[in-house]
Amino acid sequence: EKGYGSSVVKQLANDLQQEFPGTTGFSARNLWNMKQFYEFYALADEKVQRSVALLPWRHNLLIISKAKSIDEAEFYCEQVFQNNWSRDILLNFIKADTFKNAKLLPKLHNFETTLPENLQEQADETNMIAEKHKPDKQYTCEFHPVEISFNERPFVPRDIQYIKSSAEMKY
């Protein structure tokens, strides 16, 4: 940063680097980032402060540089923890304005109209947990005759044998 205080911060960075040799993170740029971090989260509630304290530094820098509010920052912090996002994935979701879309898009359930008020939030949380733990892979069994219930473990040796025999065929 240039302007007021820049020479003081440069001197402070040099002093800290001399005082703590072998440690990193005390560049002038990083000291400015620390100031920005403090200013952004200083008035946030304790829950948000605990969340951001657990995030990697570069995730925090990305969030404070892109988030327009504490609510948005808190949303992205929660998403990083829930989904184990890397910094690049976080950036993609920020660019897609996921915070705004999550607030505007309607929920795909009718809990508000079908459940008593005291159960709506619990059902919504349960629904979110179920969505989070959906299986990542879908199994297609087009090449195997399969009954309704089956154990996938026997497929593995048969699949390997099928692939080997297919690879050995000469056309």
Side-chain angles (χ1 to χ4, degrees):
E1 300 232 358
K2 296 186 183 209
Y4 182 75
S6 63
S7 60
V8 173
V9 172
K10 285 179 189 173
Q11 184 59 49
L12 178 60
N14 289 334
D15 292 346
L16 287 169
Q17 289 168 359
Q18 289 174 1
E19 186 69 29
F20 302 104
T23 56
T24 59
F26 294 122
S27 66
R29 178 175 162 210
N30 218 26
L31 292 177
W32 284 112
N33 288 336
M34 290 176 202
K35 177 184 179 278
Q36 184 183 13
F37 176 86
Y38 171 77
E39 289 172 343
F40 190 84
Y41 291 118
L43 300 177
D45 65 12
E46 196 173 316
K47 178 186 171 198
V48 174
Q49 290 178 352
R50 278 192 304 245
S51 294
V52 300
L54 299 173
L55 282 179
W57 179 241
R58 289 179 35 96
H59 280 65
N60 273 310
L61 292 180
L62 179 60
I63 290 171
I64 63 176
S65 68
K66 302 288 185 183
K68 297 168 189 77
S69 68
I70 293 293
D71 290 338
E72 186 175 357
E74 180 180 15
F75 171 81
Y76 287 118
C77 287
E78 289 172 3
Q79 294 303 309
V80 167
F81 288 122
Q82 289 175 3
N83 302 307
N84 199 23
W85 286 350
S86 69
R87 186 177 177 278
D88 292 335
I89 298 295
L90 172 61
L91 177 60
N92 289 338
F93 277 96
I94 290 173
K95 284 181 179 178
D97 208 1
T98 306
F99 171 72
K100 181 177 142 198
N101 292 331
K103 299 291 182 200
L104 294 179
L105 295 176
K107 297 190 178 194
L108 301 174
H109 57 67
N110 62 350
F111 298 153
E112 290 84 10
T113 58
T114 58
L115 292 175
E117 191 174 331
N118 62 336
L119 295 177
Q120 291 174 10
E121 186 177 339
Q122 181 180 357
D124 192 31
E125 288 175 10
T126 305
N127 188 45
M128 288 189 319
I129 291 170
E131 285 292 319
K132 181 181 170 193
H133 294 292
K134 270 203 264 186
D136 292 339
K137 296 181 181 175
Q138 302 255 338
Y139 290 99
T140 328
C141 300
E142 296 170 355
F143 300 108
H144 303 286
V146 178
E147 284 82 32
I148 297 297
S149 63
F150 65 92
N151 181 358
E152 71 181 61
R153 210 172 263 301
F155 282 152
V156 175
R158 278 194 284 175
D159 288 341
I160 293 172
Q161 186 58 40
Y162 176 76
I163 292 168
K164 284 182 179 177
S165 65
S166 296
E168 292 172 0
M169 285 185 184
K170 295 187 178 166
Y171 295 99

